[in-house]
Amino acid sequence: MSAVHLNLPVVDRLPMHRRRKLVNVVALALSLGAMAFGLFWLIWILFETVRLGVGGITLATFTQSTPPPNVEGGGLANAIVGSGIMVMLGTAVGTPIGILAGIYLAEYGRGTWLGHLTRFINDILLSAPSIVIGLFVYALIVARTKTFSGLSGVVALALIVIPVVVRTTENMLQLIPNSFREAAFALGAPKWIVIRSVTLRAAVAGVVTGVLLALARIAGETAPLLFTALSNQFFSLDLGSPMANLPVTIFKFAMSPFANWQQLAWAGVFIITLGVLALNIMARVLFRKKG
């Protein structure tokens, strides 16, 4: 067929060329339209977040705890600290597990039934709604201890971090050429040395990028914390009791009829947006530097 098309006269090839150009123009227009549609809503959301959130950013926002209903003043200090503690601990718990599981899948579990099973379960966890994870931790910890707690919130966030880090670590390690491994084996290095000093070191930028993206994801998760950490109006560092956090505080304040609570909710949204933006920029810069 290709020979026949090549031998067609120029006059016969012109309609085919016009048709292909038309299809290309239509596809390009649809792609640009979809991009413009998505960017329109994204820019609108960011504009409203900045417009309504900047007004609530004061010194009291970072130094005072959340106020009672219909009381002027107050801030988000307890929620900011509580979110920071739970997000950092959740990342610290989930990251080593995710990295080790990703190393197993990329280096040891290729083609094995356990590797396929682990990858399948990880894919389910990766696509599972966060509220399902929150309900699971609620049944596992909260219902048995008879109290909401920051610790159960940490467990829920760690379960969200793990599949993201597993997938990123496995993908980054699979991108390392096998010639690196073969060269290290030829020098007599055992496999664990090869993984630690060759493949993992070569993929460290991608792995760290995945950790930062997982951190950015859990920073704004609300549903798991509603069923685990709940919230706390007062400043508390006790992981065994309900702990204030930004996502649940934003949800509660945004649904309230009080103007000062709504302003604090927008301030919290602005703070989370800046934090997630900073993490994404850090991941991009790190990946570009090491890549």
Side-chain angles (χ1 to χ4, degrees):
M1 293 296 295
S2 59
V4 174
H5 287 305
L6 290 174
N7 293 328
L8 287 176
V10 176
V11 177
D12 294 336
R13 291 203 300 266
L14 285 177
M16 184 184 302
H17 179 67
R18 293 193 189 99
R19 186 168 61 252
R20 289 178 176 175
K21 285 187 66 176
L22 178 62
V23 171
N24 181 69
V25 170
V26 171
L28 182 61
L30 291 175
S31 301
L32 291 175
M35 182 187 69
F37 180 79
L39 285 176
F40 170 76
W41 296 106
L42 176 61
I43 292 173
W44 191 2
I45 291 171
L46 291 177
F47 174 77
E48 290 296 313
T49 299
V50 173
R51 183 177 68 87
L52 298 172
V54 170
I57 300 297
T58 63
L59 181 61
T61 306
F62 301 95
T63 58
Q64 298 181 15
S65 296
T66 51
N70 207 22
V71 174
E72 292 298 329
L76 298 170
N78 55 335
I80 294 173
V81 173
S83 277
I85 291 174
M86 286 189 287
V87 167
M88 292 302 173
L89 288 179
T91 305
V93 172
T95 296
I97 299 174
I99 291 177
L100 290 175
I103 291 174
Y104 169 78
L105 293 177
E107 302 291 343
Y108 295 97
R110 294 186 181 183
T112 65
W113 68 269
L114 183 57
H116 290 306
L117 179 63
T118 304
R119 191 175 294 107
F120 175 72
I121 295 175
N122 186 75
D123 290 342
I124 294 176
L125 283 175
L126 190 62
S127 59
S130 58
I131 192 172
V132 175
I133 296 176
L135 285 171
F136 170 75
V137 177
Y138 175 86
L140 184 68
I141 299 178
V142 177
R144 298 187 179 186
T145 58
K146 307 299 182 182
T147 181
F148 295 97
S149 64
L151 181 61
S152 58
V154 170
V155 174
L157 296 180
L159 290 178
I160 298 175
V161 168
I162 289 173
V164 178
V165 177
V166 170
R167 171 62 64 85
T168 306
T169 303
E170 181 188 7
N171 290 343
M172 291 300 104
L173 289 175
Q174 287 179 346
L175 292 176
I176 305 303
N178 283 328
S179 57
F180 284 24
R181 300 176 178 87
E182 293 169 357
F185 287 140
L187 294 175
K191 189 163 187 175
W192 70 273
I193 291 290
V194 174
I195 294 172
R196 187 196 67 182
S197 302
V198 179
T199 56
L200 194 58
R201 178 172 295 181
V204 66
V207 174
V208 174
T209 299
V211 174
L212 291 176
L213 294 178
L215 179 61
R217 177 183 174 183
I218 64 174
E221 285 289 350
T222 306
L225 299 181
L226 277 171
F227 293 96
T228 53
L230 195 59
S231 187
N232 192 337
Q233 183 181 341
F234 306 101
F235 190 92
S236 175
L237 300 178
D238 183 11
L239 289 173
S241 61
M243 181 172 284
N245 55 87
L246 271 177
V248 175
T249 301
I250 291 170
F251 172 76
K252 182 174 68 174
F253 282 13
M255 299 294 289
S256 73
F258 308 114
N260 65 318
W261 274 20
Q262 293 174 4
Q263 189 176 42
L264 285 174
W266 279 109
V269 171
F270 182 68
I271 292 171
I272 287 182
T273 302
L274 285 182
V276 172
L277 176 63
L279 288 173
N280 278 274
I281 292 175
M282 187 186 305
R284 296 285 183 177
V285 171
L286 179 64
F287 184 78
R288 182 176 300 176
K289 180 180 178 181
K290 297 291 186 178

